[in-house]
């Protein structure tokens, strides 16, 4: 794996591998999770993907996203949908001399509208861009239960994200301050924002979260992203990255 921010430009001469760009946010995640939760998750998936497939370049994360629904909580900083879309378009355009294509690894649901706009613009220009984002279905595959009606019980700072952070950065998780929040319909969240619905900022219930569950969930994310990337590369005529040999113990 090559971390793009850690090399000098001559190291990148020869070959045009795929570039993986993690896209996160800086926003409230309840009283118990850090503001950069989404960015940490996106980076973990991107790094896991690059460990599975070679060669891939991993760019530094775009750590601000479209987080307007989290306004009213100190610490939330947002680019907004249109600025995010424009930023991603310009970043991908600037990668023409570097990469055969770009894989966007998204960690924040509020980014999806802007990222899809960016992918549409870039695709119309003939650039090859793939968007990956986590889904509730992948959480179920990993065994994370969803007990809320309609399957929307883990929208934000609930069990999934708490488990992931217990795996990735347990020292930053304040389980003694974790609390359950409401599970409103997504349409109501979009219309009203988080603060009027949940004073704590939590939408869901962190109860039952564990580092083991977080490890399984991250593995499910990376498995899905790996399969998606390989299928996309084949469809687009891109030289597919090779699967890395499994690590062997000595």
């Amino acid at each position: 794996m090559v971390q793009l921010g850690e090399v000098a430009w001559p190291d990148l001469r020869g070959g045009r591998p795929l570039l993986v760009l993690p896209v996160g946010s800086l926003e409230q995640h309840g009283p118990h999770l850090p503001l950069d939760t989404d960015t940490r998750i996106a980076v973990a998936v991107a790094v896991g993907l690059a460990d599975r497939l070679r060669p891939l370049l991993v760019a530094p994360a775009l750590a601000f996203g479209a987080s307007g629904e989290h306004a009213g909580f100190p610490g939330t900083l947002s680019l907004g949908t249109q600025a995010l879309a424009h930023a991603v378009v310009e970043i991908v355009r600037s990668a023409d001399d570097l990469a055969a294509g770009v894989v966007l690894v998204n960690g924040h649901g509020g980014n999806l509208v802007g990222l899809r706009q960016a992918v549409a613009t870039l695709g119309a220009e003939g650039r090859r861009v793939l968007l990956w984002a986590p889904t509730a279905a992948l959480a179920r595959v990993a065994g994370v239960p969803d007990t809320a009606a309609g399957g929307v019980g883990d929208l934000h700072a609930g069990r999934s994200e708490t488990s992931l952070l217990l795996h990735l950065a347990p020292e930053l998780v304040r389980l003694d301050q974790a609390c359950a929040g409401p599970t409103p319909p997504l349409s109501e969240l979009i219309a009203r924002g988080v603060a009027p619905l949940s004073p704590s900022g939590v939408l869901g219930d962190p109860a039952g979260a564990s580092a083991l569950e977080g490890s399984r969930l991250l593995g499910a994310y990376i498995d899905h992203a790996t399969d998606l990337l390989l299928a996309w590369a084949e469809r687009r005529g891109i030289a597919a990255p090779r699967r890395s040999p499994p690590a062997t113990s000595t």
Side-chain angles (χ1 to χ4, degrees), residues 95-195:
D96 284 350
D97 294 331
L98 172 69
V102 177
V103 180
L104 306 173
V105 173
N106 181 45
H108 170 50
N111 291 342
L112 283 173
V113 172
L115 292 178
R116 287 168 179 156
Q117 289 177 5
V119 169
T121 298
L122 293 161
E125 295 174 353
R127 292 180 170 83
R128 296 179 287 195
V129 187
L130 174 67
L131 171 60
W132 178 89
T135 66
L138 289 174
R140 290 192 290 271
V141 166
V144 181
D146 187 352
T147 58
V152 294
D154 202 28
L155 284 174
H156 187 73
R159 182 162 172 166
S160 292
E161 288 186 323
T162 302
S163 288
L164 285 163
L165 265 291
L166 284 170
H167 171 60
L168 294 171
E171 71 282 2
L172 298 179
V173 179
R174 305 175 184 182
L175 279 181
D176 61 321
Q177 298 184 39
C179 61
T183 55
L186 187 58
S187 58
E188 187 176 2
L189 171 61
I190 293 171
R192 301 181 60 193
V194 176

Side-chain angles (χ1 to χ4, degrees), residues 2-241:
V2 176
Q3 293 275 8
L4 189 58
E6 297 178 357
V7 299
W9 74 262
D11 301 328
L12 301 170
R13 288 182 297 196
R16 295 175 69 242
L18 293 172
L19 175 68
V20 183
L21 174 63
V23 185
S25 71
L26 191 74
E27 64 184 38
Q28 73 82 20
H29 273 78
H32 65 296
L33 295 179
L35 295 168
D36 66 351
T37 287
D38 292 337
T39 302
R40 288 177 183 272
I41 293 169
V43 168
V45 175
V47 169
L49 190 58
D51 283 339
R52 296 273 186 92
L53 300 172
R54 296 183 183 178
L56 291 180
L57 302 174
V58 178
L62 181 55
F64 300 92
S67 300
E69 69 274 18
H70 296 281
F73 293 91
T76 295
L77 300 178
S78 175
L79 281 175
T81 294
Q82 296 308 315
L84 173 64
H86 185 70
V88 170
V89 165
E90 293 301 327
I91 290 170
V92 174
R93 285 172 176 166
S94 70
D96 284 350
D97 294 331
L98 172 69
V102 177
V103 180
L104 306 173
V105 173
N106 181 45
H108 170 50
N111 291 342
L112 283 173
V113 172
L115 292 178
R116 287 168 179 156
Q117 289 177 5
V119 169
T121 298
L122 293 161
E125 295 174 353
R127 292 180 170 83
R128 296 179 287 195
V129 187
L130 174 67
L131 171 60
W132 178 89
T135 66
L138 289 174
R140 290 192 290 271
V141 166
V144 181
D146 187 352
T147 58
V152 294
D154 202 28
L155 284 174
H156 187 73
R159 182 162 172 166
S160 292
E161 288 186 323
T162 302
S163 288
L164 285 163
L165 265 291
L166 284 170
H167 171 60
L168 294 171
E171 71 282 2
L172 298 179
V173 179
R174 305 175 184 182
L175 279 181
D176 61 321
Q177 298 184 39
C179 61
T183 55
L186 187 58
S187 58
E188 187 176 2
L189 171 61
I190 293 171
R192 301 181 60 193
V194 176
L197 302 173
S198 174
S200 72
V202 177
L203 300 172
D205 190 351
S210 71
L212 178 59
E213 191 168 88
S215 176
R216 290 201 309 267
L217 183 53
L218 180 61
Y221 286 178
I222 296 169
D223 288 344
H224 184 261
T226 298
D227 293 341
L228 188 70
L229 189 158
L230 290 174
W232 169 76
E234 182 177 1
R235 289 195 310 271
R236 297 303 305 269
I238 301 170

